């Protein structure tokens, strides 16, 4: 199948005529994308978190096609995207007061909420679960697409399963060209990491996947306790000391014992670049010194090395660039990535580390 590129870039500046022409082209692109979705096809769409791969959430054949295009394990449920709150009534009969407050505060935005699902939502969309994950993305192109199609749109990240999530339409094209009907071309994703996933089906709201919306912010809105899925802590870096001559300890997801994550997707290998990756943890000075030493060591072995040295001072930039940097390393044929840990006691830092640890296969060295 040939993947169609549909130009939905909205004007930022230009003459009146140019701006009008761009708006017209975007409207036509959105219209064409909506028609594809209504026919059961697949269209990648922009969001503020990462690009999504959309299909009709209530059509089991479209859901099955999403899993096939991504190579996604069939027990990993899809997030359903809506543009208006009244669409929720098609998906769930249980919207609590807590959920209403959270929607008021965070929608449209990077918070996904899990509800008990209605019969009409196919098991093929929810990975066989009796619950459904729903979010209203904060992107004008995608909100227009959902409205125009009149559908609830299932949309996991638009990457091949296992690779870093896509934050530009080019990333989507590299992974899924020839496997999906179309890509809505728009700008880069602003947030850069996936939404916070919050389970509202138990008594105490529980974060299953950390993201840009923090448990502190959620707690402040609902005026009550928020829990974290204990599985999120199982794989946190243990103090692993690696002296100069010692082999760093490598921890793999499969080696970790503890409770299974409640979000099925959290147990899979994820976000992995082709290169070997190590995360250095310690004072900025020690990390920079060890990064330089490691890079030299690898280079003398003929390896191509890249450094991803993030700053705790600008976690927004770390979130926005992590996945695109990992993809850039792949494109440039990098063999070895040295990354610096960010401060995981900060909730956004914790969300970034949750991704970075998976990218590195839990290969952390404390310096
Ligand atoms: P992605 O769409 O690739 O961003 O991943 C969606 C994440 O949400 C995965 O980790 C899923 O396992 C999780 N998720 C989606 N629906 C549910 C659900 N009904 N219950 C628990 N986790 C869910
Ligand atoms: Mg994903």
């Amino acid at each position: 199948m040939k993947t169609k590129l549909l130009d939905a870039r909205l004007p930022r500046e230009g003459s009146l005529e140019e701006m009008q022409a761009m708006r017209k082209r975007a409207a036509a692109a959105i219209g064409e994308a909506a028609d594809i979705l209504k026919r059961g096809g697949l269209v990648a769409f922009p969001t503020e978190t990462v690009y999504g791969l959309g299909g009709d959430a209530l059509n089991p054949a479209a859901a099955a096609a999403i899993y096939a295009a991504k190579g996604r394990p069939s027990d990993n449920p899809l997030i359903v995207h809506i543009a208006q709150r009244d669409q929720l009534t098609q998906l769930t009969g249980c919207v609590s007061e807590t959920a209403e407050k959270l929607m008021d505060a965070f929608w449209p935005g990077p918070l996904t909420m899990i509800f008990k699902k209605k019969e009409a939502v196919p098991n093929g969309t929810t990975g066989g679960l009796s619950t459904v994950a729903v979010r209203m993305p904060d992107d004008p192109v995608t909100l227009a697409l959902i409205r125009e199609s009149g559908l609830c749109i299932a949309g996991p990240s638009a990457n091949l399963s296992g690779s870093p999530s896509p934050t530009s339409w080019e990333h989507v094209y590299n992974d899924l060209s020839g496997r999906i009907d179309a890509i809505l071309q728009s700008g880069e994703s602003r947030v850069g990491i996936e939404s916070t996933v919050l389970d509202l089906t138990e008594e105490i709201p529980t974060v299953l996947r950390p993201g840009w919306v923090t448990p502190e912010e959620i707690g402040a809105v609902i005026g009550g306790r928020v829990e974290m899925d204990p599985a999120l802590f199982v794989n946190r870096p243990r103090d692993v000391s690696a002296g100069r001559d010692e082999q760093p300890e490598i921890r793999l997801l499969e080696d970790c014992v503890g409770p299974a994550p409640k979000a099925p997707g959290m147990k899979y290998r994820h976000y992995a670049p082709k290169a070997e990756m190590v995360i250095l943890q310690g004072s900025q000075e020690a990390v920079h010194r060890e990064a330089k030493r490691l890079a030299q060591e690898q280079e003398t072995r003929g390896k191509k090395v890249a450094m991803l040295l993030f700053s705790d001072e600008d976690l927004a930039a770390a979130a926005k660039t992590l996945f695109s940097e990992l993809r850039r390393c792949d494109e440039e044929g990098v063999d070895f990535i040295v990354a610096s840990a960010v401060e995981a006691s900060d909730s956004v830092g914790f969300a970034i580390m949750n991704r970075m640890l998976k990218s590195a296969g839990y290969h952390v060295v404390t310096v």
Side-chain angles (χ1 to χ4, degrees):
M1 141 194 334
K2 182 155 169 48
T3 299
K4 216 166 176 183
L5 291 176
L6 302 171
D7 187 352
R9 283 170 282 206
L10 293 171
R12 290 242 167 74
E13 52 193 32
S15 70
L16 201 57
E17 289 77 32
E18 282 165 351
M19 303 229 302
Q20 273 167 346
M22 278 181 89
R23 263 200 209 102
K24 221 168 137 189
R25 197 165 53 217
I30 290 166
E32 194 171 341
D35 286 342
I36 295 171
L37 290 172
K38 284 192 274 189
R39 290 197 301 268
L42 303 188
V43 179
F45 58 85
T47 84
E48 79 282 27
T49 57
V50 303
Y51 271 67
L53 175 57
D56 178 355
L58 301 185
N59 174 350
I66 290 176
Y67 285 93
K70 278 180 62 79
R72 183 173 173 108
S74 61
D75 71 342
N76 188 2
L78 309 176
I79 293 172
V80 179
H81 294 70
I82 60 175
Q84 285 151 217
R85 280 211 213 167
D86 59 15
Q87 289 182 287
L88 257 183
T89 57
Q90 296 178 57
L91 305 170
T92 182
C94 322
V95 179
S96 62
E97 216 174 287
T98 300
E100 297 276 2
K101 281 187 193 163
L102 291 169
M103 287 184 242
D104 286 340
F106 298 112
W107 278 8
L111 177 68
T112 295
M113 288 185 253
I114 294 178
F115 302 95
K116 290 240 150 32
K117 87 170 180 72
K118 274 191 173 170
E119 196 82 30
V121 183
N123 281 328
T125 297
T126 64
L129 297 179
S130 59
T131 52
V132 61
V134 189
R135 164 168 122 83
M136 188 186 290
D138 187 14
D139 185 284
V141 169
T142 291
L143 290 172
L145 171 71
I146 300 171
R147 279 198 203 97
E148 184 132 352
S149 68
L151 302 172
C152 300
I153 298 182
S157 48
N159 53 320
L160 284 174
S161 200
S163 71
S165 297
T167 56
S168 72
W169 71 262
E170 289 94 337
H171 296 161
V172 180
Y173 187 83
N174 287 342
D175 272 23
L176 298 179
S177 168
R179 303 170 77 99
I180 61 176
D181 296 287
I183 298 170
L184 267 178
Q185 296 171 293
S186 186
E188 283 177 14
S189 301
R190 292 194 310 277
V191 175
I193 56 172
E194 305 85 346
S195 58
T196 305
V197 175
L198 185 71
D199 186 1
L200 292 177
T201 64
E202 305 284 341
E203 205 166 300
I204 301 173
T206 305
V207 172
L208 306 188
R209 176 172 73 184
W212 187 253
V213 175
T214 66
E216 294 83 6
E217 289 170 324
I218 294 168
V221 167
I222 63 179
R225 245 173 73 204
V226 179
E227 285 190 348
M228 303 289 281
D229 183 354
L232 292 173
F233 299 94
V234 169
N235 299 311
R236 288 186 72 172
R238 204 174 29 177
D239 259 1
V240 180
S241 58
R244 289 276 154 110
D245 306 319
E246 291 169 43
Q247 272 297 95
E249 185 171 343
I250 297 178
R251 301 184 72 200
L252 293 174
L253 196 47
E254 306 85 74
D255 297 336
C256 299
V257 285
K262 277 188 171 168
M266 297 292 281
K267 69 176 179 280
Y268 288 108
R269 183 176 153 84
H270 240 107
Y271 319 122
K274 296 192 181 87
E276 188 184 346
M277 178 168 166
V278 61
I279 301 171
L280 301 179
Q281 189 176 249
S283 71
Q284 202 189 48
E285 200 196 335
V287 164
H288 284 210
R289 198 179 332 111
E290 178 63 6
K292 220 167 130 191
R293 191 197 67 78
L294 259 180
Q296 273 168 1
E297 183 181 280
Q298 292 293 326
E299 276 162 2
T300 53
R301 291 185 193 158
K303 304 278 187 199
K304 185 161 179 180
V305 179
M307 290 204 205
L308 303 185
L309 301 179
F310 298 108
S311 159
D312 289 330
E313 309 303 314
D314 195 352
L315 291 172
K320 189 171 184 297
T321 56
L322 172 65
F323 291 139
S324 61
E325 287 292 309
L326 293 175
R327 282 180 173 265
R328 188 178 57 78
C329 290
D330 279 351
E331 280 159 26
E332 293 177 358
V334 168
D335 305 296
F336 195 88
I337 301 172
V338 187
S340 60
V342 294
E343 184 51 62
S345 61
D346 177 287
S347 291
V348 171
F350 181 70
I352 296 168
M353 282 307 287
N354 172 269
R355 275 56 171 195
M356 244 211 271
L357 284 165
K358 291 180 189 181
S359 308
Y362 296 90
H363 184 174
V364 179
V365 176
T366 300
V367 291

